Amino acid sequence: HPAAIAIDCEMCETKCPTTGKVDSKALCRLSVVNADNPSEVLLDTLVKPAWPVSDYRTFVNGISKADLEGVQFTLEHAQTFMKALCSLQTIVVGHAVHNDLMALKIVHQHVIDTAMLYTYVNPDDGTPSLKNLAKGVLGKEMPNVHDSVNDARVALECATNYVVLDGKVAPVEK
């Protein structure tokens, strides 16, 4: 078990054909990076949702209907991978990581959420986006369409920066 990992998930919206229930956070991509060696991608895979997709959110995640055709890796596979990879003590790093865990439908107690570590200059602006953290903390530009491997690495870099500076970080601009 690695001591820490960084994760990012991409989600789409699905709808149960029987009940009409909507899952607005259906997992469609999972990326996991080794925190000790961020160049090591432990998993990066598309995930086939259980229900038909009602909104791919391609403009956000870059994933289209064609991308998911033929995908055999399911939520259950993702859960099995995460349970095999993580012990109860594994630290899971991410940005707004509760959303990723919700998409994975797992509970994990040891998390570092970069959305909670930093603030905006104007606190009324809410929690900083990963794009604003990348620019303000790391001096990096983020692509417009999410790349979940990149997002996991950037969240990890922001968390590392916070630890190195012992939490004495400046607020970021929106």
Side-chain angles (χ1 to χ4, degrees):
H1 301 287
I5 58 171
I7 69 169
D8 188 60
C9 297
E10 298 301 336
M11 293 85 138
C12 59
E13 182 180 278
T14 62
K15 187 174 182 179
C16 177
T18 307
T19 65
K21 182 179 176 187
V22 171
D23 182 355
S24 63
K25 293 187 186 311
L27 184 66
C28 60
R29 183 176 176 186
L30 169 62
S31 299
V32 182
V33 172
N34 184 344
D36 289 331
N37 178 9
S39 65
E40 182 183 6
V41 177
L42 301 172
L43 181 69
D44 181 31
T45 186
L46 293 171
V47 179
K48 179 182 179 172
W51 296 340
V53 177
S54 51
D55 184 355
Y56 286 90
R57 298 186 184 139
T58 305
F59 71 98
V60 174
N61 60 35
I63 298 169
S64 68
K65 179 179 182 178
D67 294 324
L68 291 179
E69 287 177 6
V71 171
Q72 298 298 312
F73 196 88
T74 66
L75 172 63
E76 291 76 21
H77 293 120
Q79 292 169 330
T80 300
F81 174 84
M82 291 298 289
K83 287 175 186 172
L85 180 67
C86 296
S87 73
L88 294 176
Q89 288 74 38
T90 303
I91 298 169
V92 177
V93 179
H95 187 79
V97 73
H98 65 282
N99 289 317
D100 301 309
L101 295 172
M102 196 178 319
L104 284 162
K105 297 182 181 7
I106 61 174
V107 175
H108 192 75
Q109 301 302 318
H110 298 280
V111 299
I112 297 176
D113 189 338
T114 55
M116 299 294 128
L117 296 180
Y118 294 87
T119 60
Y120 278 128
V121 171
N122 178 2
D124 293 339
D125 287 338
T127 58
S129 68
L130 187 58
K131 185 174 187 170
N132 289 330
L133 286 183
K135 181 71 171 168
V137 174
L138 306 173
K140 294 181 174 185
E141 294 291 335
M142 294 287 282
N144 287 330
V145 175
H146 290 245
D147 172 341
S148 50
V149 171
N150 183 61
D151 289 0
R153 287 178 175 147
V154 168
L156 180 60
E157 282 185 76
C158 290
T160 301
N161 179 73
Y162 187 90
V163 171
V164 167
L165 296 177
D166 198 27
K168 295 174 180 71
V169 295
V172 297
E173 293 285 337
K174 187 168 187 177

